[in-house]
Amino acid sequence: MDATPFLRFALAVVLAVFLTSLLPQLPDFALLFAGFGFCLWALMRRRWFVLGLVFGLLWASIWGHMLLQQRLPESCSGQWFEVEGQVSSLVRQYDGSLPAQHFRFDVTRFMQGDTRCLQPRQLWLSAYQQQGFSAGSRWRLQARLKSPRGYNNPGGYNRLLWFASRGIDATGSVRVSSAVPLPPRLHFHSTVSVLREHVRATILSSVVHSDAAAILVALGVGDNSLIRSQLSDALRALGISHIVVISGLHIALAAGLGLFLGKLFALLGLGGARAMGLCLALVFATYYALLAGLALPCLRALIMLYVAVWFLLRDAPTPLWLPFGVALCAVLLWQPLSPLGAGFWLSFGAVAALLALARRYRYLSAWRLALLMQAFLAVLMSVLSLCFFDGLSPVMLLTNAVFVPLASLFVVPAVLLAALASLANSPLAPALWRFLGDGLGAVIELLSRTSQELPNPWVELSPGVIALTVAVLAAALLLLPPFRGLRGIAVVLLLPLVLPRGSNVPAGAVDIWVLDVGQGTAVLVHSAEHSLLYDTGGGSDTFTIAESVLLPVLRRLGIKQLDTLVISHADNDHSAGAMWLKQRYPNLQSISSDPRFGETSCVAGMLIDWPLEAGRVLEAQFLAPFSATERRLSNDSSCVLQLRIGSHRVLLPGDIEAARERELVRVYAAELAVDVLLLAHHGSNTSSTHAWLKHVRPRLGIASAGHANRFSHPHPQVLERLAQHGVTVLNTAHDGAILLRFYPDDSMVIKRWRYANWRYWY
């Protein structure tokens, strides 16, 4: 059987689907209709590569149009809707100062709302200070909906991609007092979620050790929201955090249990043992994928497994790469945005590498080949950790050699058995979970102590695009038989991965990033040698913008060390990450109007200056408060900072309101004039008065505000006043992070990150 035509087709489909996902706008339907005719022409002429390109483009485009058609229009964001529907996912609980529940909600009927806005059918809802929602429950409720959105910054997690790939049409918050329970009507997804919630409840009621319970919940039902950040850091430092996140590896382990039982049947002399083993592999893998809520990585692995088993059961000669190509096309047709996630390349890259190894070293005995593959996977995980997670653990090769077999031979089989006992309501279930919890608790204590004793538990590296491209080339040289003589060169080509990444700022230039942190403020100022952060964005007991957004940004921009942290005032949306940053950067100079956040008080006249090239200097001067002992309401106590780069001026006023603006006008008058103004208090109507704007005279105003926020920031009256003064306004809620780059020739360039990287699914 010649697989070449199909492999050409599959390669073209991958290329077309991937490129379509990067398009800023989808082709219109007239062009797509013409594409069907082109497909027929390519099929009749047997132009397999051309057929794959056109087919991939058509499929991904049609899928994209359907996605956008269901999404809540941006003009409807912020409106209240009354809906009926059902909780169709596991409910994620977050306990802290503001308890919250997050869940998927399948809409069956819109009871009330703008008729132009009734397309969404899949919602991701949050309920605060409410613990009544559970999987499978039906409700009539009022929710304030928004079109899906995520933080848009250089580096970091793309939340919008997560929403798009899971078909979430809108996000929103529930008005708790409006929620009315309805009689349940279970369907497939909600039934699976009800069973998963039952397993989770059994674990939490049976296991005393909280960290052990959190890991068992993660391994048992795919909910990692209970894992503490300290435990997560310890697992990452040891390079084994991937073991506690259900992925293709775990589905493969579950399938391996089925194959093992098939081997036992063969030893007993039972007929059809091979087919029985393959079928059991599918049963075990499907069971575990259902426990994980059919998450995308599990579904991807499940598709690959079903394709492989189908070819194996045919008992016909099959080229090695044909099942791989079929699985690749099946995954892309099911989820065309898959190539934008690291998991897609991790999964298929690992499988492709193992197939290449199996073919190249087919003369080895089974156990030697297994050892070689295990060693290769450990090295591959190290390289991929560098590529996708900006660092690696020095001990990850050793820890994976120990804990991957441990998880394979004991933990995963035991978890599957205990979950089955829970689903059957067996009295043995609590005892099984308790036994697992006790053993896992001892292991966690050992891991925590080990990670603390490591001198440098996590090496942060951020290889650039060129280094990653060269690494892919090196992997090809190592694996492909025609290049056996070039292995030494391949090793050399891998070296750029571990070289430190330099600053992204051109020599002599200064970058000011107004970062997209939702309803909060975080402004990063940096040159090639210095960096200053003005405010950290918000957060809660279990989540901070500093850890989830600012750290990835710093890594991506090549900033190894923050020099200065300014916390304008104590409000949570400005200061939540201060303590975390001070722990991470022990030499950080901190300045604030609140002594809890800064060793130094910001006082008018205080000056920070950075030398630049050609005698240029960046000056950061504080304009308020007027004394360290001044007592004001929180907003008016904000540190007001003016930045001077060449002839350009930028003003960061924190959350000051009209009273403080009047004082600053009286004291500084014309000295307040700037090119760029960060709107005070996110654009609240309590700030940005006519008198203030008359003296500041900005050409550009920037609002750091949340998407469709409940405060209506920036306020329409503020926008009207800015328009009257001829001020152009940008908003992080719509533009993403905003970059102001000041070059040595005194020119300024403005870049809106969301539009510079626009995709059709934004």
Side-chain angles (χ1 to χ4, degrees):
M1 179 181 180
D2 184 14
T4 304
F6 180 78
L7 291 177
R8 288 177 180 171
F9 173 82
L11 179 62
V13 168
V14 173
L15 182 62
V17 171
F18 177 62
L19 293 177
T20 303
S21 68
L22 300 178
L23 291 176
Q25 184 176 352
L26 290 171
D28 59 30
F29 282 103
L31 186 60
L32 294 178
F33 185 76
F36 283 104
F38 204 68
C39 270
L40 291 175
W41 174 86
L43 183 62
M44 290 187 294
R45 294 298 186 95
R46 297 187 177 183
R47 309 282 181 157
W48 304 115
F49 191 81
V50 175
L51 177 63
L53 285 176
V54 179
F55 177 78
L57 172 66
L58 288 174
W59 182 270
S61 298
I62 292 172
W63 184 92
H65 278 293
M66 293 174 63
L67 172 74
L68 298 180
Q69 188 176 14
Q70 289 291 110
R71 183 176 289 179
L72 182 75
E74 180 60 37
S75 60
C76 302
S77 289
Q79 295 185 25
W80 285 93
F81 297 86
E82 186 174 4
V83 297
E84 281 187 4
Q86 187 169 37
V87 178
S88 61
S89 72
L90 198 67
V91 177
R92 297 196 170 220
Q93 309 273 359
Y94 292 90
D95 297 322
S97 56
L98 184 63
Q101 291 186 309
H102 304 284
F103 51 89
R104 185 179 183 128
F105 192 77
D106 293 350
V107 177
T108 55
R109 182 166 57 150
F110 274 87
M111 308 295 295
Q112 180 182 333
D114 191 330
T115 55
R116 298 176 295 109
C117 309
L118 306 186
Q119 301 97 315
R121 287 295 174 264
Q122 309 289 334
L123 310 179
W124 184 258
L125 296 181
S126 301
Y128 298 96
Q129 296 182 335
Q130 166 75 11
Q131 301 295 319
F133 294 97
S134 60
S137 58
R138 292 182 64 245
W139 298 85
R140 179 185 298 124
L141 51 81
Q142 293 177 4
R144 186 175 183 271
L145 300 183
K146 310 176 188 179
S147 58
R149 190 67 60 84
Y151 302 126
N152 210 301
N153 299 289
Y157 179 61
N158 194 330
R159 183 70 164 169
L160 183 53
L161 177 61
W162 188 90
F163 287 134
S165 60
R166 286 155 180 78
I168 299 297
D169 305 317
T171 63
S173 56
V174 176
R175 180 177 283 159
V176 174
S177 60
S178 72
V180 177
L182 299 174
R185 294 177 191 166
L186 293 181
H187 55 74
F188 176 74
H189 283 292
S190 58
T191 302
V192 169
S193 298
V194 168
L195 296 175
R196 293 173 66 214
E197 202 159 90
H198 174 67
V199 173
R200 182 176 67 177
T202 306
I203 296 172
L204 294 177
S205 63
S206 305
V207 180
V208 176
H209 194 289
S210 59
D211 283 339
I215 287 184
L216 288 174
V217 167
L219 287 173
V221 296
D223 177 11
N224 57 5
S225 63
L226 301 178
I227 297 179
R228 296 181 303 114
S229 59
Q230 294 89 337
L231 176 58
S232 180
D233 290 341
L235 295 173
R236 187 180 67 131
L238 296 170
I240 56 173
S241 55
H242 61 95
I243 294 178
V244 300
V245 179
I246 300 180
S247 63
L249 170 66
H250 298 76
I251 301 303
L253 293 178
L257 289 177
L259 294 175
F260 175 73
L261 291 177
K263 291 288 186 183
L264 291 181
F265 293 149
L267 292 175
L268 295 173
L270 299 176
R274 178 174 177 272
M276 180 65 71
L278 291 173
C279 291
L280 285 175
L282 291 181
V283 170
F284 276 76
T286 304
Y287 164 56
Y288 204 2
L290 287 170
L291 278 178
L294 295 174
L296 290 184
C298 299
L299 274 174
R300 183 168 52 239
L302 208 57
I303 290 172
M304 296 170 70
L305 182 64
Y306 269 82
V307 170
V309 169
W310 182 76
F311 275 99
L312 289 171
L313 289 175
R314 289 176 66 241
D315 273 334
T318 303
L320 183 64
W321 291 100
L322 184 58
F324 179 82
V326 172
L328 190 61
C329 284
V331 168
L332 288 174
L333 295 180
W334 161 68
Q335 177 46 261
L337 293 181
S338 292
L340 296 179
F344 175 86
W345 302 102
L346 291 172
S347 299
F348 281 101
V351 171
L354 293 176
L355 289 175
L357 280 175
R359 183 174 182 178
R360 180 173 175 179
Y361 296 103
R362 54 185 177 275
Y363 55 84
L364 293 178
S365 62
W367 69 271
R368 287 182 177 176
L369 184 59
L371 284 177
L372 177 64
M373 288 184 171
Q374 177 66 29
F376 174 78
L377 280 177
V379 175
L380 180 66
M381 288 303 300
S382 301
V383 174
L384 293 175
S385 178
L386 275 174
C387 295
F388 295 108
F389 307 114
D390 294 324
L392 55 76
S393 167
V395 297
M396 68 184 304
L397 295 181
L398 176 62
T399 52
N400 277 272
V402 173
F403 287 100
V404 169
L406 180 64
S408 307
L409 300 176
F410 176 71
V411 178
V412 169
V415 165
L416 293 178
L417 178 62
L420 187 62
S422 299
L423 293 173
N425 286 319
S426 168
L428 293 176
L432 286 172
W433 288 120
R434 197 174 300 115
F435 171 74
L436 281 172
D438 292 341
L440 200 55
V443 173
I444 290 171
E445 298 296 333
L446 175 63
L447 292 177
S448 298
R449 289 197 301 270
T450 303
S451 66
Q452 291 171 3
E453 293 171 1
L454 290 174
N456 191 8
W458 182 259
V459 179
E460 290 191 358
L461 296 166
S462 300
V465 175
I466 296 177
L468 295 179
T469 305
V470 171
V472 172
L473 175 61
L477 294 178
L478 284 170
L479 288 173
L480 298 180
F483 304 108
R484 288 181 184 177
L486 301 177
R487 289 187 213 170
I489 297 176
V491 173
V492 173
L493 292 177
L494 289 173
L495 291 178
L497 284 177
V498 298
L499 295 178
R501 187 173 185 172
S503 172
N504 289 18
V505 185
V510 174
D511 280 0
I512 299 178
W513 286 90
V514 181
L515 297 172
D516 179 11
V517 295
Q519 189 65 19
T521 298
V523 180
L524 177 64
V525 184
H526 74 113
S527 65
E529 294 82 20
H530 302 280
S531 57
L532 177 149
L533 181 66
Y534 182 89
D535 286 342
T536 69
S540 64
D541 298 343
T542 57
F543 162 87
T544 65
I545 290 293
E547 188 172 2
S548 60
V549 176
L550 299 186
L551 182 58
V553 168
L554 295 173
R555 286 174 177 165
R556 178 60 62 88
L557 298 180
I559 299 174
K560 304 298 182 185
Q561 174 66 45
L562 272 178
D563 299 320
T564 307
L565 172 65
V566 177
I567 299 297
S568 63
H569 62 300
D571 283 4
N572 178 273
D573 57 332
H574 296 254
S575 64
M579 298 307 177
W580 187 87
L581 286 169
K582 290 167 75 171
Q583 290 175 359
R584 182 171 183 82
Y585 301 105
N587 299 322
L588 182 64
Q589 177 193 15
S590 56
I591 303 171
S592 179
S593 62
D594 190 306
R596 292 174 296 174
F597 301 109
E599 290 83 10
T600 305
S601 297
C602 58
V603 180
M606 181 186 296
L607 183 67
I608 301 171
D609 55 0
W610 298 344
L612 304 173
E613 288 189 352
R616 298 170 67 245
V617 176
L618 179 147
E619 294 181 336
Q621 182 175 4
F622 290 94
L623 306 184
F626 296 112
S627 73
T629 58
E630 185 177 298
R631 292 289 179 266
R632 287 296 188 100
L633 294 176
S634 179
N635 286 344
D636 275 345
S637 70
S638 296
C639 301
V640 179
L641 185 64
Q642 186 182 71
L643 304 170
R644 298 192 284 267
I645 309 112
S647 65
H648 297 286
R649 303 287 186 272
V650 178
L651 188 59
L652 309 178
D655 276 0
I656 65 170
E657 299 183 351
R660 177 66 88 184
E661 288 180 351
R662 287 193 296 271
E663 291 178 349
L664 289 169
V665 167
R666 186 175 66 252
V667 172
Y668 294 102
E671 295 179 39
L672 288 173
V674 296
D675 303 279
V676 181
L677 170 67
L678 183 69
L679 299 186
H681 201 181
H682 318 288
S684 167
N685 197 33
T686 60
S687 310
S688 302
T689 60
H690 277 295
W692 172 254
L693 295 175
K694 179 181 177 181
H695 285 81
V696 175
R697 292 184 289 140
R699 290 184 291 140
L700 174 66
I702 300 177
S704 180
H707 173 232
N709 63 84
R710 60 191 176 95
F711 307 104
S712 298
H713 292 165
H715 196 277
Q717 292 183 25
V718 170
L719 294 177
E720 184 179 343
R721 290 198 291 270
L722 289 165
Q724 292 173 4
H725 287 268
V727 181
T728 301
V729 178
L730 299 180
N731 188 347
T732 57
H734 304 303
D735 301 301
I738 298 165
L739 169 63
L740 310 172
R741 174 164 288 176
F742 301 90
Y743 285 97
D745 64 0
D746 214 27
S747 61
M748 179 180 73
V749 173
I750 301 169
K751 183 177 183 179
R752 300 180 295 166
W753 192 255
R754 185 164 182 249
Y755 290 97
N757 301 274
W758 184 264
R759 304 287 181 257
Y760 79 83
W761 42 272
Y762 277 16

